[in-house]
């Protein structure tokens, strides 16, 4: 029956790859099931046969050398706060792809002049740019602090047509003279209709109780429905670096706070504060530079030439993908299956704080690396740089999809056995056993030339630093088709 029914095979393949089908509502551009099945199978096998040396190069403008780079929906997003400069442009776009190309000053888009920009978020898929800024009595000076987020169309079309208003207003934090805001301590992130701003404030009181204490504040908006919000999380702690915490959206209804533990909150009901669901304890307390990395793209599009336009064939199930948690001290890479954050019934009776031994080993893999920041995630696949000699490094591709582990067809190395890492700083052994298929790519890189990696459904992007003839450093992006 399976051999004679392409539709049944398609359903089985979707289930095995943990994808959700998307209904084709365009009757005039219907894609046969057999072609969908072939496309799905080709996408699965593509990672095992791409040519790492087949690249094109995109130069990064000099003014963004010390700025922040990100990729989204086939576009490169650049921002340099010191230069008050931002730029977005498509990277080797397909003929049917909608593109945005623009350079601008983020400060010029703010209603209030002479403001201090905290962060800029660009979402080309929704044609949205969000700019978070602060108004104080002086830069990094004690006093009242007021935060705002400006929403505009990313292509320069003025106020975003779907926004509830041009400006999002922050309900806090408290205004008092002994609070100091530091510009570099803010983060602005978005997911669909959700936008969240995280910032930290320091108390500068004279007493020992208030000295060097920090308050972090996280506020979430449904930017398409309201310019105000009461969806707020906050906490106060002592002598902890600003970079010891990060957050990410697990979908449009859940939020993850990563610090000494992983705390999951429900944000489905935006008329109230986020509802605490569970706390997952980490095996060792990460002390510095925590960073959450989510898959770049959640939707796979067809690229078959015989189709008149890109069509959505399937989408990733938010309950069955990966996130990566990177820590600078100790140097650890956590690859975690998101299923653990949705299937909370398993931990009934210990939801308050779930020890690592009950959730971690079966739902994660932990790696040690001196440079754990060079990593990209796409769906159930991870690509990261790993040093294999004194003079260079190689790229490792790992596929955590159960179907890949079961049906690898002789490609790659299947890893099912547990692995243990000894963390010398704490004298702890960390064991993990989430199965995966690994392929080590042939190409070698210099130890300091590869600065970052991004991966989406069709391409790998390698950010490299090269040295020009005159001795100056230059950033460039290598693009590899999968």
């Amino acid at each position: 029956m399976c051999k004679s029914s392409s539709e049944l095979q398609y359903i089985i393949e979707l289930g095995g790859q943990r994808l959700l089908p998307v209904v084709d509502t365009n009757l005039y551009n219907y894609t046969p099931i057999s072609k969908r099945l072939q496309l799905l199978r080709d996408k699965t096998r593509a990672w095992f046969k791409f040519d790492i040396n087949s690249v094109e190069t995109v130069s990064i403008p000099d003014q963004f050398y010390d700025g922040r780079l990100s990729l989204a929906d086939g576009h490169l997003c650049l921002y340099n706060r010191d230069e008050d400069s931002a730029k977005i442009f498509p990277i080797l776009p397909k003929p049917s792809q909608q593109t945005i190309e623009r350079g601008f000053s983020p400060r010029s888009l703010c209603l209030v002049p002479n403001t201090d920009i905290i962060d800029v978020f660009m979402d080309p898929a929704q044609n949205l740019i969000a700019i978070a800024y602060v108004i104080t009595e002086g830069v990094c000076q004690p006093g009242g602090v007021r935060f705002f987020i400006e929403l505009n169309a990313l292509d320069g079309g003025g106020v975003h047509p779907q926004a509830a208003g041009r400006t999002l207003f922050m309900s806090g934090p408290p205004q008092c003279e002994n609070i100091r805001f530091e510009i570099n301590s803010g983060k602005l992130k978005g997911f669909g209709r959700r936008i969240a701003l995280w910032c930290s404030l320091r108390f500068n009181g004279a007493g020992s109780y208030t000295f060097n204490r920090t308050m972090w504040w996280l506020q979430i908006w449904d930017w398409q429905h309201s310019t105000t919000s009461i969806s707020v999380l906050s906490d106060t702690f002592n002598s902890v670096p600003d970079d010891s915490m990060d957050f990410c959206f697990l979908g449009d209804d859940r939020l993850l706070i990563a610090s000494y533990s992983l705390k999951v909150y429900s944000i489905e009901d935006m008329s109230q504060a986020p509802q605490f669901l569970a706390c997952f304890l980490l095996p060792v307390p990460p002390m510095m530079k925590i960073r959450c990395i989510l898959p770049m793209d959640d939707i796979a599009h067809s690229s078959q030439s015989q189709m008149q336009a890109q069509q959505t064939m399937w989408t990733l199930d938010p309950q069955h993908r990966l996130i990566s948690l990177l820590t600078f001290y100790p140097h650890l890479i956590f690859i975690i299956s998101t299923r653990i954050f949705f299937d909370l019934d398993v931990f009934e009776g210990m939801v308050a704080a779930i020890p690592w031994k009950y959730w971690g080993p079966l739902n994660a893999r932990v790696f040690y690396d001196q440079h754990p920041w060079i990593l990209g995630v796409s769906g159930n696949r991870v690509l990261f740089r790993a040093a294999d000699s004194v003079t260079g490094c190689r790229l490792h591709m790992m596929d955590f999809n159960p179907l890949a582990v079961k049906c690898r067809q002789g490609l790659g190395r299947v890893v099912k056995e547990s692995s243990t890492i000894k963390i010398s700083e704490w004298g702890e052994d960390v064991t993990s056993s989430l199965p995966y298929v690994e392929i080590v790519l042939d190409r070698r890189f210099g130890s300091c030339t590869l600065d970052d990696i991004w991966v989406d459904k069709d391409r790998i992007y390698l950010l490299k630093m090269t040295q020009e003839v005159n001795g100056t450093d230059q950033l460039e992006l290598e693009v590899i088709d999968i």
Side-chain angles (χ1 to χ4, degrees):
M1 183 175 179
C2 290
K3 292 181 180 180
S4 62
S5 172
S6 60
E7 183 173 1
L8 184 56
Q9 290 183 53
Y10 182 68
I11 294 173
I12 294 173
E13 195 80 16
L14 284 174
Q17 295 192 40
R18 292 178 171 175
L19 300 171
L20 301 175
V22 176
V23 178
D24 182 4
T25 57
N26 188 345
L27 299 178
Y28 299 99
N29 196 18
Y30 177 74
T31 306
I33 292 294
S34 59
K35 292 182 179 179
R36 295 187 180 200
L37 177 61
Q38 187 59 50
L39 174 64
L40 187 59
R41 288 174 172 171
D42 290 344
K43 290 279 186 180
T44 305
R45 301 187 182 105
W47 279 79
F48 297 104
K49 60 184 179 183
F50 67 90
D51 183 4
I52 191 67
N53 295 299
S54 176
V55 302
E56 297 188 50
T57 302
V58 177
S59 297
I60 307 299
D62 292 339
Q63 68 266 35
F64 299 105
Y65 176 81
D66 293 323
R68 182 166 53 81
L69 291 78
S70 61
L71 280 99
D73 196 41
H75 290 72
L76 183 61
C77 306
L78 308 170
Y79 171 59
N80 189 322
R81 191 180 70 84
D82 295 335
E83 298 287 340
D84 185 34
S85 180
K87 186 178 181 65
I88 180 173
F89 57 90
I91 304 174
L92 308 177
K94 299 174 182 177
S96 59
Q97 181 182 354
Q98 293 183 346
T99 61
I100 300 173
E101 186 165 357
R102 183 187 180 195
F104 56 94
S105 162
R107 187 172 286 113
S108 67
L109 301 180
C110 299
L111 288 176
V112 181
N114 302 319
T115 59
D116 292 305
I117 305 294
I118 301 174
D119 201 3
V120 173
F121 170 71
M122 288 182 266
D123 184 355
Q126 298 189 94
N127 189 26
L128 172 70
I129 178 171
I131 305 170
Y133 63 97
V134 62
I135 303 173
T136 64
E137 293 182 1
V139 179
C140 298
Q141 296 299 316
V145 182
R146 292 178 293 164
F147 296 87
F148 303 92
I149 299 176
E150 297 291 334
L151 303 178
N152 287 274
L154 186 53
D155 62 3
V159 180
H160 197 285
Q162 293 179 296
R166 175 171 178 172
T167 306
L168 301 180
F169 300 92
M170 201 167 186
S171 62
Q175 308 297 310
C176 58
E177 293 184 356
N178 68 333
I179 284 184
R180 180 191 300 270
F181 172 71
E182 297 184 0
I183 298 297
N184 292 324
S185 66
K187 300 176 185 178
L188 184 65
K189 298 185 180 184
F191 186 94
R193 301 197 316 268
R194 308 287 196 249
I195 281 182
L197 175 63
W198 176 88
C199 59
S200 67
L201 298 166
R202 297 191 184 278
F203 293 87
N204 294 323
S208 59
Y209 178 72
T210 58
F211 178 72
N212 204 27
R213 297 181 71 226
T214 301
M215 173 185 183
W216 64 261
W217 184 278
L218 176 70
Q219 188 159 346
I220 311 167
W221 290 263
D222 185 336
W223 61 273
Q224 295 185 8
H225 290 85
S226 177
T227 59
T228 60
S229 168
I230 60 172
S231 186
V232 174
L233 289 170
S234 64
D235 197 5
T236 304
F237 43 86
N238 293 317
S239 303
V240 178
D242 292 332
D243 56 10
S244 64
M245 171 190 159
D246 200 1
F247 71 95
C248 64
F249 292 96
L250 296 176
D252 58 4
D253 62 348
R254 299 208 176 189
L255 182 78
L256 179 71
I257 303 290
S259 185
Y260 293 102
S261 60
L262 306 179
K263 293 183 178 180
V264 182
Y265 294 85
S266 171
I267 55 173
E268 185 174 7
D269 185 359
M270 293 292 290
S271 65
Q272 59 182 342
Q275 300 299 297
F276 174 77
L277 297 177
C279 174
F280 296 86
L281 299 179
L282 294 171
V284 294
M287 299 297 293
M288 296 176 59
K289 293 186 179 179
I290 297 175
R291 179 183 173 194
C292 293
I293 299 180
L294 285 172
M296 278 185 56
D297 54 347
D298 292 339
I299 299 176
H301 294 281
S302 167
S303 58
Q304 297 288 79
S305 59
Q306 65 266 30
M307 300 179 188
Q308 296 178 8
Q310 284 190 339
Q311 286 181 287
T312 301
M313 302 290 107
W314 54 81
T315 181
L316 281 175
D317 186 344
Q319 300 187 29
H320 292 287
R321 56 177 185 171
L322 299 174
I323 67 167
S324 177
L325 181 68
L326 310 180
T327 65
F328 182 78
Y329 180 75
H331 301 286
L332 297 178
I333 301 173
F334 291 84
I335 308 297
I336 303 171
S337 172
T338 56
R339 68 189 179 196
I340 199 65
F341 304 126
F342 291 87
D343 190 15
L344 299 178
D345 293 339
V346 177
F347 306 104
E348 186 176 359
M350 56 176 173
V351 175
I354 305 169
W356 166 264
K357 64 180 180 180
Y358 293 117
W359 74 271
L362 294 179
N363 295 281
R365 275 285 177 174
V366 185
F367 303 92
Y368 176 85
D369 191 86
Q370 281 293 115
H371 305 282
W373 301 100
I374 313 302
L375 178 146
V377 182
S378 177
N380 285 290
R381 298 179 176 120
V382 176
L383 186 71
F384 76 94
R385 182 192 73 175
D388 64 350
S389 67
V390 178
T391 59
C393 59
R394 299 170 74 179
L395 294 178
H396 293 236
M397 192 282 289
M398 295 179 294
D399 194 333
F400 289 85
N401 193 313
L403 190 62
V405 175
K406 183 178 180 180
C407 308
R408 67 185 179 93
Q409 298 179 341
L411 299 171
R413 178 177 70 99
V414 176
V415 180
K416 295 182 178 180
E417 64 276 7
S418 299
S419 58
T420 300
I421 298 174
K422 187 174 184 60
I423 310 300
S424 57
E425 292 92 333
W426 285 274
E428 297 285 343
D429 291 339
V430 180
T431 300
S432 58
S433 56
L434 185 65
Y436 63 94
V437 177
E438 180 184 42
I439 292 180
V440 181
L441 306 183
D442 293 335
R443 184 178 173 188
R444 294 179 181 272
F445 297 86
S447 57
C448 299
T449 59
L450 198 57
D451 275 11
D452 212 339
I453 296 173
W454 295 275
V455 184
D456 62 21
K457 60 186 180 298
D458 295 318
R459 291 168 176 165
I460 292 173
Y461 307 87
L462 306 177
L463 183 64
K464 294 177 57 183
M465 182 178 294
T466 61
Q467 195 171 78
E468 300 295 324
V469 177
N470 58 6
T472 60
D473 292 332
Q474 176 68 41
L475 285 176
E476 61 181 24
L477 195 69
E478 286 194 4
V479 186
I480 304 170
D481 285 330
I482 301 174

